[in-house]
Amino acid sequence: MINLTLKNGKVIGAEPGLSIYEITGKISERLQRDALAANVNGTLTDLRTILNDDCTLEILTFEDEGGRWTFRHTAAHLLAQAVQNLYPSTKLAIGPAIENGFYYDFDFEKPLSLDELPAIEAEMKRLAKLGMKPTCRSLSRAEALEFYKDDPYKHELISELPENETITFYDQDTFTDLCAGPHVMDTRVIKALKLTSIAGAYWRGSEKNKMLTRVYGTAFAKQADLDAHIELIEEAKRRDHRKLGRELNLFVMMEEGQGFPFWLPNGLTLQNVVLDFWREAHRKAGYLEISTPLMLDKSLWETSGHADNYEMYSTKIEDKEYFIKPMNCPGGILVYKQDLHSYKEFPLRIAELGIVHRPEKSGTLHGLMRVRTITQDDAHIYLMPEQIKDEIKNIINLVDEIYSTFGFAYELELSTRPENSIGSDEAWEMATTALHETLLELNRPFIINEGDGAFYGPKIDFHLLDSLGRRWQTATIQLDFNLPERFGLEYVAADGTKQQPVMIHRTVYGSLQRFIGILIEHYAGQFPLWLSPVQAIVLPISDKFTTYAQSVENWLQSEGFRVEIDRRQEKIGFKIREAHNKRIPYIFVVGEQEEAAGTVSVRSRNGGDEGSKSLTEIIERMQYEVRDRK
């Protein structure tokens, strides 16, 4: 990105009336070749824009977010043009650029199959090579509605715009699409593209509307970058937690319980290890753990504001309406209100591994990543205003400790007041300032996400990065001046008066189910020893050595390890391959020599075939790995 400031309409010899594209040519031929879009006074725009007034100008290439977005937006138009060329009766819906690619939603007369994507992709490449130059033109709202009188989707979008709105279109050769832009100067820059998948998508995200076909694709400035991205997609498929969940006997999703995971023994073991670690870290950090009911009276959710801001499951008991909780906060608040607390108890840290339910749409469900029941590792911290910054720092340190153990780096995002919110301007200003200043004091890089806070307060979100570089929103810190007021929370201050506490809502894992899904993909199912549901397996060469194998298992179990014996009548080579496929860290083969010497033949994930080892030596090594969570 190159930053320029135009004064009196001039930059590097450029006169007023030049397009941004012409200005890039005056800087260098290379910049003109690489430039894709620009920010003019902070607004993303076409390179074909004419500049006459003083402004700040940022030239964007594929290395910049705005440049990539523009590049892939044009690729989405190429997709729509290719589909209309091959399937002329198809209706077009919307087609935005997204992170790492783009998509377009279509209404096909006949269902589209994956086998048809290569032909559409070939047509896109042919069109790109034509060197089409997307150009913008405007129509009045009435003219635009007439233009799209036979296209229900575009017609609907236009009809919702203000009466006096000028509608813009972009033309590529004979293809026209409703669009605000921007687009690249020439389609020939889009050389490396790939259509990746198709999915169903309801028009405007509502199940009341027709199901459309969404075609996904991606595009890069260089073929090598596209190849690397495709390999990343393939690796992600190999790591898909739904696939590994079945293979490693962790969990299953069943038709009889859509959105509700069934945990198998190995999966429940993994879940319990993750929770034991959570409890250990929280005990050390001074948290008290509680548990509150799954269902609570409707009036409680009306007081909290959740009834107006969340969809919830409900039921009736003796003609009284109850909501199944989508959040733990109100139940935790009721626990706080059981006693009159003193400032001497603050910060009062109360944690809950609460099971909550949310009626997610069936089309959004995705393995463990999007479910209808989650275990939320909430904590609600009650404190005085002057304790806010120190407590936020404590929470971030706790997240550091837990995430670093799993090998996760993370990025921070500060989200501010949304349109749909409760509370006074003063409370929101105080809470947002406290979070912002704390991050500045910590000298942590962060971005500001305007308008994406919780309805009751601003928040800091943690986006962890997995081993494939993907970002996942997990932990959160939400500062709340509003619910304590709504519920009349009090504490006894140092001067003996009753004051209202500040409340922090926070999670570390977020959704336990989703976090475990992330772990499965992060490790590709090859969990470190401390996390592995089965840490070792003993393989007797034949039935004659089952008794010795049992003694090995008993010894390892007495030391606290999770061990199994494979008693099947199979060849040892087959057993070893199966144990490898199950990602078991240690494989111990026992036969005549091992029984005579009181040893095991060791095959480990990291060391391969290590030969004969004494159990004492192996146990010491495994204890070290578990103790240090290696």
Side-chain angles (χ1 to χ4, degrees):
M1 179 167 59
I2 293 182
N3 294 285
L4 305 168
T5 300
L6 275 69
K7 287 292 187 184
N8 301 318
K10 295 183 180 181
V11 58
I12 315 182
E15 297 297 327
L18 292 181
S19 69
I20 300 172
Y21 181 73
E22 290 171 315
I23 292 172
T24 62
K26 288 183 174 292
I27 299 171
S28 75
E29 289 184 7
R30 179 172 182 176
L31 179 61
Q32 190 173 57
R33 184 181 67 245
D34 293 342
L36 297 171
N39 280 331
V40 177
N41 294 329
T43 300
L44 187 63
T45 188
D46 269 5
L47 295 177
R48 52 185 63 81
T49 300
I50 305 297
L51 298 181
N52 288 305
D53 302 317
D54 295 350
C55 65
T56 59
L57 173 65
E58 296 175 325
I59 308 298
L60 306 177
T61 70
F62 195 81
E63 300 305 312
D64 306 302
E65 182 179 355
R68 289 192 298 274
W69 189 95
T70 301
F71 186 90
R72 289 167 174 159
H73 186 196
T74 305
H77 275 228
L78 282 174
L79 169 58
Q81 186 175 1
V83 165
Q84 282 215 323
N85 285 355
L86 298 174
Y87 308 92
S89 60
T90 301
K91 297 288 190 298
L92 306 183
I94 57 171
I98 56 175
E99 186 177 7
N100 293 324
F102 57 90
Y103 70 77
Y104 213 109
D105 289 346
F106 301 100
D107 185 356
F108 287 97
E109 278 194 341
K110 296 180 180 179
L112 186 75
S113 72
L114 281 171
D115 295 338
E116 295 171 89
L117 290 189
I120 299 173
E121 184 182 305
E123 177 65 4
M124 290 176 66
K125 292 177 178 178
R126 184 190 73 80
L127 291 169
K129 289 178 181 178
L130 296 178
M132 296 179 292
K133 295 174 173 54
T135 55
C136 183
R137 62 188 173 94
S138 300
L139 292 176
S140 68
R141 184 173 181 273
E143 290 171 327
L145 287 171
E146 176 62 24
F147 185 85
Y148 277 120
K149 63 183 180 181
D150 296 324
D151 190 319
Y153 307 106
K154 304 291 185 184
H155 195 277
E156 181 178 326
L157 293 173
I158 295 167
S159 66
E160 295 176 356
L161 297 173
E163 289 286 345
N164 59 351
E165 184 98 1
T166 298
I167 316 299
T168 57
F169 294 78
Y170 271 80
D171 298 321
Q172 284 174 188
D173 195 23
T174 59
F175 174 76
T176 298
D177 202 357
L178 174 70
C179 184
H183 286 281
V184 300
M185 293 293 293
D186 190 310
T187 59
R188 281 175 293 188
V189 300
I190 303 175
K191 299 175 182 178
L193 62 86
K194 179 75 175 176
L195 296 184
T196 55
S197 62
I198 58 176
Y202 291 105
W203 168 238
R204 311 198 81 169
S206 173
E207 293 184 3
K208 297 177 182 178
N209 295 329
K210 185 174 184 179
M211 175 76 79
L212 305 177
T213 300
R214 178 168 295 176
V215 180
Y216 285 97
T218 190
F220 285 81
K222 298 175 183 177
Q223 185 63 41
D225 292 337
L226 173 62
D227 293 342
H229 180 72
I230 296 303
E231 175 54 33
L232 191 67
I233 291 175
E234 293 304 314
E235 179 60 26
K237 289 179 181 177
R238 290 189 284 271
R239 292 169 179 252
D240 190 320
H241 73 285
R242 296 167 297 178
K243 170 178 170 288
L244 292 175
R246 293 189 299 271
E247 293 176 0
L248 303 181
N249 296 318
L250 300 175
F251 72 94
V252 293
M253 308 300 291
M254 299 189 190
E255 192 68 28
E256 294 84 351
Q258 284 192 28
F260 301 94
F262 288 72
W263 291 96
L264 304 177
N266 282 353
L268 195 59
T269 298
L270 172 62
Q271 184 179 133
N272 288 337
V273 173
V274 170
L275 290 179
D276 288 345
F277 174 49
W278 183 93
R279 286 191 165 102
E280 175 189 324
H282 281 71
R283 279 195 299 269
K284 290 178 181 177
Y287 285 80
L288 305 171
E289 187 178 350
I290 62 168
S291 177
T292 62
L294 290 176
M295 292 189 301
L296 292 164
D297 189 278
K298 176 184 177 181
S299 62
L300 181 73
W301 304 102
E302 291 173 336
T303 301
S304 70
H306 287 87
D308 296 326
N309 290 278
Y310 273 83
E311 283 191 57
M312 292 183 272
Y313 295 113
S314 64
T315 188
K316 282 191 174 181
I317 302 175
E318 297 179 349
D319 294 326
K320 198 169 187 179
E321 191 168 10
Y322 288 78
F323 282 149
I324 300 173
K325 65 179 180 180
M327 284 285 191
N328 297 309
C329 330
I333 288 172
L334 293 183
V335 170
Y336 176 87
K337 292 186 72 172
Q338 293 307 297
D339 294 299
L340 180 59
H341 298 279
S342 163
Y343 74 98
K344 294 179 182 180
E345 300 174 69
F346 285 1
L348 178 59
R349 306 178 182 103
I350 300 177
E352 178 174 15
L353 293 163
I355 298 174
V356 303
H357 291 76
R358 298 174 185 174
E360 303 286 358
K361 304 297 185 185
S362 59
T364 67
L365 299 176
H366 180 76
L368 298 178
M369 302 303 192
R370 194 71 175 262
V371 292
R372 287 172 169 152
T373 179
I374 65 175
T375 303
Q376 197 170 47
D377 69 319
D378 264 333
H380 299 101
I381 303 168
Y382 304 91
L383 66 167
M384 296 178 287
E386 59 267 30
Q387 296 174 311
I388 289 173
K389 289 184 179 180
D390 284 342
E391 190 60 20
I392 292 171
K393 292 172 185 177
N394 289 337
I395 296 169
I396 292 176
N397 288 337
L398 177 63
V399 175
D400 276 340
E401 175 191 342
I402 292 176
Y403 281 13
S404 63
T405 301
F406 292 111
F408 289 130
Y410 63 82
E411 298 170 347
L412 295 171
E413 180 179 84
L414 173 61
S415 296
T416 60
R417 186 175 190 172
E419 286 187 21
N420 186 20
S421 61
I422 60 175
S424 68
D425 293 343
E426 181 184 8
W428 273 91
E429 178 64 26
M430 189 184 306
T432 304
T433 299
L435 294 182
H436 191 268
E437 289 181 352
T438 303
L439 291 175
L440 292 176
E441 289 176 14
L442 287 170
N443 197 27
R444 295 291 188 99
F446 65 95
I447 64 171
I448 296 178
N449 186 4
E450 296 287 356
D452 198 42
F455 73 88
Y456 45 75
K459 61 179 180 172
I460 297 171
D461 284 333
F462 294 70
H463 296 265
L464 67 77
L465 303 172
D466 69 10
S467 57
L468 297 183
R470 297 173 300 181
R471 298 170 78 251
W472 305 90
Q473 197 280 306
T474 47
T476 188
I477 303 171
Q478 301 172 353
L479 190 53
D480 185 1
F481 287 80
N482 292 305
L483 289 186
E485 180 181 1
R486 285 193 163 213
F487 281 94
L489 302 189
E490 294 178 331
Y491 72 95
V492 178
D495 62 2
T497 62
K498 291 182 180 179
Q499 302 291 332
Q500 180 180 296
V502 179
M503 182 176 177
I504 293 177
H505 311 245
R506 51 109 290 204
T507 64
V508 177
Y509 295 151
S511 158
L512 175 66
Q513 288 73 11
R514 186 165 178 265
F515 193 82
I516 288 178
I518 294 168
L519 287 178
I520 294 169
E521 297 193 1
H522 176 64
Y523 292 116
Q526 300 191 70
F527 302 108
L529 188 67
W530 72 280
L531 274 179
S532 294
V534 180
Q535 295 171 316
I537 188 166
V538 186
L539 308 181
I541 290 176
S542 71
D543 279 350
K544 290 190 298 182
F545 308 106
T546 299
T547 302
Y548 178 61
Q550 185 70 61
S551 69
V552 171
E553 180 190 42
N554 292 342
W555 191 356
L556 288 166
Q557 286 180 342
S558 71
E559 296 293 337
F561 297 110
R562 299 182 289 274
V563 192
E564 292 181 352
I565 296 177
D566 188 340
R567 293 181 170 84
R568 294 177 300 167
Q569 298 295 312
E570 300 284 356
K571 292 183 179 179
I572 194 65
F574 176 82
K575 290 182 178 182
I576 291 172
R577 285 193 300 275
E578 283 234 321
H580 278 303
N581 290 338
K582 290 180 179 177
R583 278 81 163 173
I584 298 174
Y586 282 96
I587 301 169
F588 301 139
V589 178
V590 294
E592 184 176 357
Q593 292 182 351
E594 289 77 22
E595 183 175 31
T599 62
V600 292
S601 181
V602 178
R603 293 172 182 266
S604 69
R605 180 189 296 156
N606 297 325
D609 189 349
E610 300 183 28
S612 184
K613 304 281 183 182
S614 72
L615 269 177
T616 301
E617 178 184 353
I618 285 297
I619 286 171
E620 287 180 356
R621 191 203 322 190
M622 292 174 69
Q623 285 174 335
Y624 165 76
E625 289 183 44
V626 171
R627 182 178 62 250
D628 288 9
R629 295 191 168 98
K630 298 293 186 182

